[in-house]
Amino acid sequence: MAVLLPTYSAAAAAAPAPAAYRDDPYRACKQRAATLCGPSAFTFYLHNTVYNPAVDNKDYFNSVYGLSPNVTWPNPYSFGTTSTFEDPITEGPANTSQQIGVAQGLWQLDSKVGYTLFHIFTANITEGDYKGTISILGQIREADPVRYLTVVGGTGDFLGARGLATNRLVTIDHTAPATWTLSFDLDLYY
């Protein structure tokens, strides 16, 4: 049995977008196969402040821990603990840097033998040259100075983005309420 595959034509790739897509820049961009639709590199900083009733920071927190798992065996790495967050995203590492969006998601401690976390979140970029969402997930070891997660999709200017999210700890303060800043350097393709 012979299978006929469509042929690639440079003329077809350069053809204008169908009339139905002319008012939708994202779909029109995807119709031009040879053109990138969004940035190939993008950097942002995520700022986290944990809710802590001991210091009554109910007016200035952006993440909460779920209840620790009810287990009868020793659990030195808090296996199963989950945190949900809605963290501001800025263009620079300082808390006072221009806010460009918000990251919403969760992480879970997923190892009984070390501090590893499974992260899954969406970076909602609402300000700056590019706007849209970027979906990121993966497992990291807290002790690693450089961590890698996967970009699995996006919308808006990041429509269909895939790639690598290189993550580094910028600052951390364990004093209650705990705070930290993470950098995310994204290498993207579409």
Side-chain angles (χ1 to χ4, degrees):
M1 169 167 44
V3 177
L4 298 176
L5 298 174
T7 58
Y8 175 78
S9 163
Y21 292 162
R22 287 197 186 115
D23 294 332
D24 187 342
Y26 309 117
R27 288 185 180 213
C29 180
K30 290 312 239 183
Q31 293 298 309
R32 296 186 304 269
T35 305
L36 287 177
C37 296
S40 60
F42 190 76
T43 298
F44 63 85
Y45 296 84
L46 184 147
H47 305 275
N48 188 277
T49 302
V50 177
Y51 172 69
N52 187 328
V55 294
D56 192 24
N57 67 326
K58 66 180 179 278
D59 296 328
Y60 63 96
F61 74 95
N62 47 39
S63 73
V64 294
Y65 292 119
L67 294 175
S68 295
N70 184 13
V71 296
T72 58
W73 37 268
N75 194 8
Y77 298 102
S78 301
F79 175 74
T81 299
T82 301
S83 174
T84 305
F85 60 88
E86 184 176 56
D87 294 347
I89 296 174
T90 61
E91 63 184 7
N95 282 334
T96 56
S97 297
Q98 174 67 38
Q99 184 170 344
I100 59 173
V102 64
Q104 297 166 308
L106 59 92
W107 57 258
Q108 183 173 48
L109 290 161
D110 65 350
S111 174
K112 294 185 278 184
V113 297
Y115 287 112
T116 64
L117 301 94
F118 179 77
H119 283 257
I120 184 165
F121 71 96
T122 299
N124 297 295
I125 309 300
T126 57
E127 302 295 327
D129 294 337
Y130 301 103
K131 295 176 180 67
T133 65
I134 307 163
S135 297
I136 298 172
L137 67 84
Q139 184 186 50
I140 65 169
R141 287 186 31 186
E142 241 183 25
D144 292 342
V146 179
R147 302 94 172 247
Y148 301 98
L149 296 107
T150 306
V151 175
V152 295
T155 65
D157 289 327
F158 306 99
L159 183 66
R162 301 286 189 268
L164 180 68
T166 303
N167 168 247
R168 292 177 178 82
L169 178 65
V170 177
T171 63
I172 190 165
D173 182 355
H174 293 285
T175 306
T179 61
W180 58 85
T181 299
L182 302 172
S183 69
F184 287 86
D185 295 310
L186 309 183
D187 293 311
L188 304 172
Y189 66 92
Y190 300 85

